[in-house]
Amino acid sequence: MIRQGCQTMTCSKYSSDTRRVQVDIETARRIAKGVLGAKGCPPDITVEAADHLIDSDLSGVESHGVWRVLQYAGYYDSGYLTADVRPRLEQNARGAWLVNGCGGIGIPAMTLASRNVVTRAKDTGMAAIALQHVGHTGRLGAFAEYAAGQGCLTIIIGGGGRQNWRLVAPYGGRKALMSTNPYCIGVPGGNRGPVIVDFATSAAAAGWVYGAKVAGAKLPEGVLIDRDGRPSTDPQAYFDGGAILTAGGAKGYALAVAAEMIAEAMLGPATTECNWLMLALDCGLYQKPTRLQELAEEVLSELRDCPPAPGFDQVDVPGEREADARTRNRNRPLELPSATWGEILRLAHDLGVETDAPNTG
Amino acid sequence: MIRQGCQTMTCSKYSSDTRRVQVDIETARRIAKGVLGAKGCPPDITVEAADHLIDSDLSGVESHGVWRVLQYAGYYDSGYLTADVRPRLEQNARGAWLVNGCGGIGIPAMTLASRNVVTRAKDTGMAAIALQHVGHTGRLGAFAEYAAGQGCLTIIIGGGGRQNWRLVAPYGGRKALMSTNPYCIGVPGGNRGPVIVDFATSAAAAGWVYGAKVAGAKLPEGVLIDRDGRPSTDPQAYFDGGAILTAGGAKGYALAVAAEMIAEAMLGPATTECNWLMLALDCGLYQKPTRLQELAEEVLSELRDCPPAPGFDQVDVPGEREADARTRNRNRPLELPSATWGEILRLAHDLGVETDAPNTG
């Protein structure tokens, strides 16, 4: 399926000439687990993280896919992240809930937070939880899918950490000063499940830039500027002192600054990577789930039926493309950039992880 | 001050050749009050609405300024809005709070909601309130400024009402199906006050399109498509079956769909105009106000000091431009499009409202 002007995370941002190799899903999962385990992650964290990354690839969000084991391994080596820790649920002196990630990978911290905030929202109507001292939190959409699936409107906002992560230039500026400060909203939807909004306030998530470099791919125009503020499509321009632009100009920038106030000023200073705020509201406070689904489906079916604009073949509902991709990709090999998979195999080999796979054709 | 590529609401989106006239602030306020009062609004609602609209003009947000009295007057005439009502605070059977706008103008409903949600958030840590049966709610930033000024992170999301307000085409589609579904976030900031994010998920708020038509002005590229899906800068193209585009392509669209799920599916169906959800979190749960301000100022001063990109003269902090505009504009006449002010004077005259003003030079 050809889509012109695709801007969602579920079609690859890598240039179409990127060489790719087919990799059996279970082989990729086993090797990802092997690498994380060899670096010292507890077995349960290893399983959860590897499953999460593979699920991102299956969802078509390869910026948050299995290539991240390379990044995480580097973080463990440098001491930026700690492998052998688990997140802890805590309350501060004013009774506010937070998850202390203890400097480990953020995926299990985000799981713990989403379970806790949903349970409390279902009990009292609404709840908030903060996340601090966490590493990379994976694909936020996965946690919003869970919470919305439980009937909660869920809002996740991340920011801070600009001392380590000066990636994005403010609107009107030419120097990278902020992280990609993502927003994720999940809300119960129609007959095909929750509506999920999951985006960086930058023109592309950092994963696309890092991943494109590993994959040897170019990026679309409008994503990067080089160190002199000139437009570039070369991910290397970013690493040579350039910056990622904000999404939608002033609007993405404004959201990014609000995230900075929340995560750095209210919850910070951020230590490891970003700080996060997660809010959940039980939609059942205002509407019966069956009625909500009926009204949602009325809206969403109108959107799906909208005549496409020139260059598009259909109108998508946010979140459905990822869900469709998971269904479609479940029983076929991953198609990973060859360079990326080669690096993962080399790392696994160096760590003594078994890399020979049964031939899956 | 010339700003290339300005995309915020605080520089006019009307073409620079739009003819303008200087109008004394108190004259504009008095005539706006006169028109609303003559249409049957209670005196307190009249004062509040007129003050709000004038404050929007002073803030540089002329899409939500005094020209709206023309629109409101038309709504009262057609029966779309009811003049002689006040909003009511209610709780539903599950104890959830809501403001019933009773089919009146939405500005006093939004004031009531913001006061209630802040009071409860300061008491219990966080709170939510819904708004239903409301007309146009004015400039959302004004309410977020109040709530953030009280120390609360505040999120306001509106949507629904697509039966009356099919303005915006979904990303990838060519038919107007949704309203402009705005988001507004207010959060305590640094030494210069709260950070305020206030935007339509469309490429421009509907007020710019309606206001441009009244003013006889063109709009920038990337805002409108005509009935055939072709780009247009003529506001009339919109009224002839065209549509407003979403902001930032897929990202603004995704936010718009989430707003639709919240306002139409969870809080709806919407009756008068949009339904709204307002959330407030007491930032003091997580940080002392003085420390929050200190950390915020560190971030914001870095942003203000960022070297500008070609075509820009500075990097702005969201919300500060409106605050600066209010300070700057407080003691000088409004500069309203001549055509707009002429229509307001004609309407006032027809209603027997005194239009002769003392000469203010």
Side-chain angles (χ1 to χ4, degrees):
Chain A
M1 189 157 47
I2 305 297
R3 287 175 196 278
Q4 237 180 301
C6 177
Q7 294 187 16
T8 74
M9 295 185 66
T10 49
C11 36
S12 179
K13 287 192 172 60
Y14 305 158
S15 45
S16 56
D17 60 350
T18 308
R19 283 193 51 225
R20 292 182 178 269
V21 61
Q22 293 200 338
V23 179
D24 172 71
I25 293 173
E26 294 313 316
T27 303
R29 192 191 311 271
R30 186 175 54 73
I31 289 176
K33 282 194 287 190
V35 167
L36 295 174
K39 289 294 179 187
C41 286
D44 52 330
I45 303 288
T46 288
V47 169
E48 185 180 340
D51 285 351
H52 181 97
L53 298 179
I54 297 291
D55 184 71
S56 296
D57 275 319
L58 294 176
S59 304
V61 187
E62 73 178 313
S63 58
H64 290 60
V66 69
W67 81 267
R68 290 270 181 182
V69 297
L70 296 168
Q71 191 186 43
Y72 299 165
Y75 291 161
Y76 295 137
D77 289 347
S78 70
Y80 173 68
L81 288 187
T82 309
D84 190 18
V85 290
R86 284 190 182 79
R88 285 201 307 254
L89 199 58
E90 299 176 352
Q91 275 183 285
N92 72 16
R94 286 210 49 195
W97 289 86
L98 44 96
V99 170
N100 179 345
C102 301
I105 185 179
I107 292 168
M110 203 51 92
T111 302
L112 183 60
S114 57
R115 267 51 177 178
N116 175 273
V117 82
V118 165
T119 302
R120 288 189 293 115
K122 300 298 277 189
D123 187 33
T124 63
M126 66 186 306
I129 195 161
L131 294 94
Q132 296 167 321
H133 315 303
V134 290
H136 186 253
T137 43
R139 183 177 72 91
L140 298 177
F143 308 104
E145 285 157 11
Y146 161 76
Q150 300 294 309
C152 289
L153 163 64
T154 313
I155 302 175
I156 309 173
I157 301 174
R162 74 193 191 288
Q163 303 306 342
N164 289 317
W165 297 98
R166 293 188 186 278
L167 311 173
V168 179
Y171 178 69
R174 59 183 158 86
K175 204 170 138 190
L177 291 179
M178 299 183 293
S179 188
T180 56
N181 294 8
Y183 281 65
C184 183
I185 302 175
V187 55
N191 302 343
R192 296 170 65 182
V195 165
I196 304 295
V197 182
D198 180 6
F199 63 76
T201 52
S202 48
W208 286 113
V209 184
Y210 285 78
K213 188 187 172 189
V214 175
K218 300 284 181 193
L219 286 162
E221 287 180 17
V223 171
L224 296 178
I225 49 174
D226 68 16
R227 58 185 305 158
D228 302 316
R230 292 175 306 207
S232 176
T233 61
D234 181 359
Q236 188 60 41
Y238 164 76
F239 294 96
D240 292 340
I244 311 176
L245 294 166
T246 54
K251 293 185 179 185
Y253 167 58
L255 287 172
V257 180
E260 207 65 17
M261 294 300 97
I262 293 166
E264 179 73 7
M266 183 178 87
L267 301 177
T271 53
T272 311
E273 198 167 290
C274 290
N275 284 336
W276 300 86
L277 180 68
M278 191 185 294
L279 304 175
L281 174 79
D282 180 7
C283 296
L285 280 181
Y286 289 103
Q287 193 81 277
K288 281 188 185 152
T290 49
R291 178 69 173 143
L292 190 159
Q293 182 173 334
E294 182 182 46
L295 288 168
E297 187 60 24
E298 280 178 25
V299 174
L300 299 176
S301 61
E302 273 189 26
L303 295 174
R304 292 187 204 103
D305 292 344
C306 182
F312 291 83
D313 59 3
Q314 67 181 69
V315 169
D316 286 322
V317 169
E320 288 186 359
R321 199 188 285 185
E322 290 85 347
D324 291 349
R326 282 194 295 277
T327 305
R328 194 171 60 240
N329 293 334
R330 193 180 296 144
N331 297 310
R332 63 188 197 194
L334 300 177
E335 297 199 359
L336 301 176
S338 309
T340 307
W341 184 240
E343 275 209 45
I344 292 173
L345 288 180
R346 264 192 300 282
L347 174 63
H349 182 263
D350 291 348
L351 292 169
V353 176
E354 177 67 64
T355 56
D356 292 336
N359 189 340
T360 58
Chain B
M1 187 158 49
I2 304 298
R3 290 175 193 277
Q4 234 180 302
C6 176
Q7 292 186 15
T8 73
M9 294 183 68
T10 48
C11 33
S12 179
K13 287 192 172 62
Y14 306 157
S15 44
S16 56
D17 60 352
T18 307
R19 282 194 53 226
R20 291 181 180 268
V21 61
Q22 293 200 339
V23 180
D24 171 70
I25 293 172
E26 294 314 316
T27 302
R29 192 191 312 269
R30 186 175 54 74
I31 290 176
K33 281 194 288 190
V35 168
L36 295 174
K39 287 295 178 187
C41 286
D44 53 330
I45 303 288
T46 288
V47 169
E48 186 181 340
D51 285 350
H52 181 97
L53 298 178
I54 297 290
D55 184 72
S56 297
D57 275 319
L58 294 177
S59 303
V61 186
E62 71 179 313
S63 58
H64 290 60
V66 69
W67 81 268
R68 291 269 180 183
V69 296
L70 295 169
Q71 191 185 43
Y72 300 164
Y75 292 161
Y76 294 137
D77 289 346
S78 71
Y80 173 67
L81 288 188
T82 309
D84 189 19
V85 289
R86 283 191 182 77
R88 283 201 308 255
L89 199 57
E90 299 176 352
Q91 275 183 287
N92 72 16
R94 287 209 48 195
W97 289 87
L98 44 96
V99 170
N100 180 345
C102 301
I105 187 179
I107 292 168
M110 204 51 95
T111 301
L112 183 61
S114 58
R115 268 49 175 180
N116 175 273
V117 81
V118 165
T119 302
R120 289 189 293 115
K122 300 298 278 187
D123 187 36
T124 63
M126 66 187 305
I129 195 160
L131 293 94
Q132 296 165 322
H133 315 302
V134 290
H136 186 253
T137 44
R139 183 177 72 92
L140 298 177
F143 308 103
E145 285 158 12
Y146 160 77
Q150 300 293 311
C152 288
L153 163 64
T154 313
I155 302 175
I156 309 172
I157 302 174
R162 73 195 192 289
Q163 304 306 342
N164 288 318
W165 296 98
R166 294 187 186 279
L167 311 173
V168 179
Y171 179 68
R174 61 182 156 87
K175 205 170 137 191
L177 291 178
M178 299 183 293
S179 188
T180 55
N181 293 7
Y183 280 65
C184 184
I185 302 175
V187 56
N191 302 343
R192 296 170 63 183
V195 165
I196 304 295
V197 182
D198 180 7
F199 63 77
T201 53
S202 48
W208 286 113
V209 184
Y210 285 78
K213 188 186 170 192
V214 175
K218 300 285 181 193
L219 286 162
E221 287 182 17
V223 171
L224 296 178
I225 49 175
D226 68 15
R227 59 186 303 159
D228 301 316
R230 292 174 307 206
S232 175
T233 60
D234 182 358
Q236 189 58 41
Y238 164 77
F239 294 95
D240 291 342
I244 309 176
L245 294 167
T246 54
K251 293 185 180 184
Y253 168 59
L255 287 172
V257 180
E260 207 65 18
M261 295 299 97
I262 292 166
E264 178 73 7
M266 183 177 88
L267 301 178
T271 54
T272 311
E273 196 168 291
C274 290
N275 284 336
W276 300 87
L277 180 68
M278 192 186 294
L279 304 175
L281 175 78
D282 179 7
C283 296
L285 279 181
Y286 288 105
Q287 193 82 276
K288 281 188 185 153
T290 49
R291 179 67 172 144
L292 191 159
Q293 183 173 335
E294 181 182 48
L295 288 167
E297 187 60 24
E298 281 178 24
V299 173
L300 299 177
S301 61
E302 274 191 24
L303 295 173
R304 291 186 204 106
D305 292 345
C306 182
F312 291 83
D313 60 2
Q314 68 180 66
V315 169
D316 285 324
V317 168
E320 289 185 359
R321 199 186 285 187
E322 290 84 348
D324 291 349
R326 280 193 294 275
T327 304
R328 196 172 57 241
N329 293 333
R330 192 178 299 143
N331 296 311
R332 63 189 198 192
L334 300 177
E335 297 198 359
L336 302 176
S338 309
T340 307
W341 184 241
E343 277 209 42
I344 292 172
L345 287 180
R346 263 191 300 281
L347 175 62
H349 181 264
D350 291 350
L351 292 169
V353 175
E354 176 68 64
T355 55
D356 292 335
N359 191 343
T360 58

